[in-house]
Amino acid sequence: VLFRSDDGCACLWDMKDGHIATLEFSGGVGIRAFDVSPHGQLVIACENPSASVYTISNDQFHLSGVIQKPHNGTLTACTIIPALQLVASAAEDEIVAVSCLRTFRTLWRCNALVTRRRCISFMNTVTCIKVLASPPTSSVIIIAACASDGTVLQWMIDPRDEKSTYTRTLQLHIGALVGLDVLGVH
């Protein structure tokens, strides 16, 4: 089990033997976003626009690299796309970004939606981000992000031609959205 705290620590708890490995990440600054892949990659973001990538092996955290400023504000949510070695992230700057976990470079950014009359910033703070589909089961990456103003954004990326397309938003009018998960057949 992997968990984070508001004091900047990430902990890995081996439930079989009870061993706990701790990574003091940020000198007391809270971890704002993190995700772990089934392959032992960990993405952690604190009170800054960058994300640190770690590998976990033998109950130890090993820094692989840092994704420098995929955003202009503090990251608030992230999710790893394991099959593609990518991470999708969102931040207080209202940008959704996709970065590579091998090269630590940002590949795509979505920072606005186009309405029929004008271009506007799409939402308040993104609180959760999930991948709805990605290769190899789909030819495109489809990302959903929910925001503190009750908006859900859907965004599609075609990695074959490196193009991204905003697809739609949904205003739920139920207050701030704080979580999102995907139901599917496993």
Side-chain angles (χ1 to χ4, degrees):
V1 176
L2 183 70
F3 47 102
R4 66 180 170 131
S5 67
D6 63 356
D7 65 356
C9 290
C11 297
L12 178 64
W13 176 29
D14 185 334
M15 295 177 67
K16 291 179 184 173
D17 66 12
H19 180 260
I20 297 176
T22 303
L23 171 66
E24 292 190 26
F25 181 72
S26 62
V29 177
I31 296 172
R32 294 286 302 269
F34 90 121
D35 194 26
V36 65
S37 77
H39 310 297
Q41 283 184 303
L42 172 66
V43 175
I44 296 178
C46 290
E47 301 285 336
N48 62 54
S50 299
S52 296
V53 181
Y54 289 84
T55 55
I56 302 169
S57 63
N58 300 323
D59 292 337
Q60 297 291 318
F61 297 93
H62 306 281
L63 181 64
S64 301
V66 177
I67 301 168
Q68 294 292 338
K69 297 187 178 184
H71 299 278
N72 299 319
T74 300
L75 272 75
T76 57
C78 65
T79 187
I80 294 173
I81 309 168
L84 300 177
Q85 292 289 293
L86 301 174
V87 61
S89 58
E92 290 176 347
D93 61 0
E94 301 180 354
I95 291 173
V96 177
V98 175
S99 303
C100 181
L101 293 172
R102 289 186 297 261
T103 63
F104 313 108
R105 292 181 46 231
T106 300
L107 306 174
W108 298 282
R109 292 167 55 102
C110 178
N111 59 2
L113 74 91
V114 178
T115 65
R116 291 182 191 173
R117 295 188 181 145
R118 64 188 183 279
C119 185
I120 60 172
S121 180
F122 64 78
M123 60 183 72
N124 295 330
T125 301
V126 174
T127 55
C128 185
I129 188 168
K130 293 289 180 179
V131 175
L132 304 180
S134 71
T137 58
S138 169
S139 61
V140 296
I141 303 166
I142 302 174
I143 295 172
C146 63
S148 59
D149 69 349
T151 302
V152 178
L153 166 77
Q154 183 177 322
W155 183 38
M156 184 176 68
I157 301 167
D158 189 340
R160 297 168 299 182
D161 61 10
E162 299 185 358
K163 292 185 180 176
S164 67
T165 307
Y166 154 77
T167 54
R168 67 178 57 113
T169 58
L170 172 65
Q171 180 66 46
L172 295 176
H173 299 290
I174 59 172
L177 297 176
V178 294
L180 167 74
D181 215 336
V182 180
L183 299 175
V185 179
H186 296 281

